[in-house]
Structures are given as C-alpha cells and as structure tokens.
Amino acid sequence: MEEQDVAATVQEHRTTTSERGPFCVASCTCGWRGPARRARSLARTDARNHNPE
C-alpha cells in the first residue's frame, strides 16, 4: 500500500468576515459560508468555530 504525503493533501483554511449591507458574513477559502449576522462579533465567532471536515 502506498503512503500518501499528508502535507500535500491538507488544504489551508483561511476565514474572513465581510459586510453586506447591515449584515456581516464569515467565509472560508474552502467555500464554507456562515449565516448572515447583524452582530460582527457573532460572525467572527462563526469564523473561529469553523472546523474543516
């Protein structure tokens, strides 16, 4: 059985928040998106709690 290089298969996840009108949304480079939040602090918490599968 061949051994895979784990470092080559791991994708780095980077989360950001962006404002859309009165809402703030957390998103990740993997394509994940959190719900629209009125409170920036909640969107930042969503981004921090994002766990890639």
Side-chain angles (χ1 to χ4, degrees), residues 1-24:
M1 189 173 243
E2 290 182 30
E3 187 175 326
Q4 291 182 346
D5 184 13
V6 176
T9 61
V10 174
Q11 179 184 19
E12 186 175 348
H13 290 256
R14 293 185 185 176
T15 55
T16 59
T17 57
S18 60
E19 294 188 23
R20 300 205 174 134
F23 297 98
C24 190

Side-chain angles (χ1 to χ4, degrees), residues 5-52:
D5 184 13
V6 176
T9 61
V10 174
Q11 179 184 19
E12 186 175 348
H13 290 256
R14 293 185 185 176
T15 55
T16 59
T17 57
S18 60
E19 294 188 23
R20 300 205 174 134
F23 297 98
C24 190
V25 178
S27 59
C28 181
T29 56
C30 73
W32 170 84
R33 257 175 131 171
R37 305 283 195 176
R38 287 195 182 267
R40 288 183 193 102
S41 61
L42 290 177
R44 286 192 296 267
T45 299
D46 291 339
R48 262 193 312 275
N49 291 336
H50 169 59
N51 292 320

